[in-house]
Amino acid sequence: MNRRLDFLIIAFLLLASGACIIGCRKAVVEAEPTTEPSTQVSCLDIVERYMSDSIGSQYLQGEVCIPCVMPVEVDESDSADVRVWGDFWVFNYNISGDTLKTVSGGDHPGLFHLVKTGTTYEVTSFDAVINGAGNLESARRIFGDKYEEYHSINSDETLREAMRTAITSDYVRKYGLNVKYYQDYGWPAVSINN
């Protein structure tokens, strides 16, 4: 099985388990003790909250902020430095009828560092890929031997849009929003398929 197919399977399993949905506006959250794995707060939940709170808040605000986290690799072997490499997007929307209209957003690939204490994760830093002239060099430095996998995700518009649609659909369903589409300025509306 190739790495892209492995990624797609893992990504959609994460989506199905609800791991890629955010709900509150804090970058540090403690999970409630439970036996249900889908209610555990994961490092990806905290990355999404960070994307929404710290990065999404830097853009022109909308009524809804939906981060789109596409992990390349997660390494939880060291609780003092949990690392999440990925292609991280954030989208701010206003609701117009049954459509989420994109107000702002952008791509922030890189490496998140988190610390895990008990069931609590906290983002300690984010190594972002540089925009412009230093992009390729910084991406290769940050992703290292994971660069090719990152590049295959980042450069695959079909995969990115499929992930965005799935994550947006899950968010809409989870929060009971009465919308059926999202739409970027100048582009046709995309069905969310709730």
Side-chain angles (χ1 to χ4, degrees), residues 30-42 119:
E30 186 163 338
E32 294 292 322
T34 181
T35 58
E36 293 290 326
S38 64
T39 60
Q40 295 285 332
V41 174
S42 74
T119 58

Side-chain angles (χ1 to χ4, degrees), residues 77-91:
S77 62
D78 180 0
S79 62
D81 187 22
V82 174
R83 295 175 295 165
V84 180
W85 291 265
D87 194 12
F88 308 106
W89 289 77
V90 65
F91 298 96

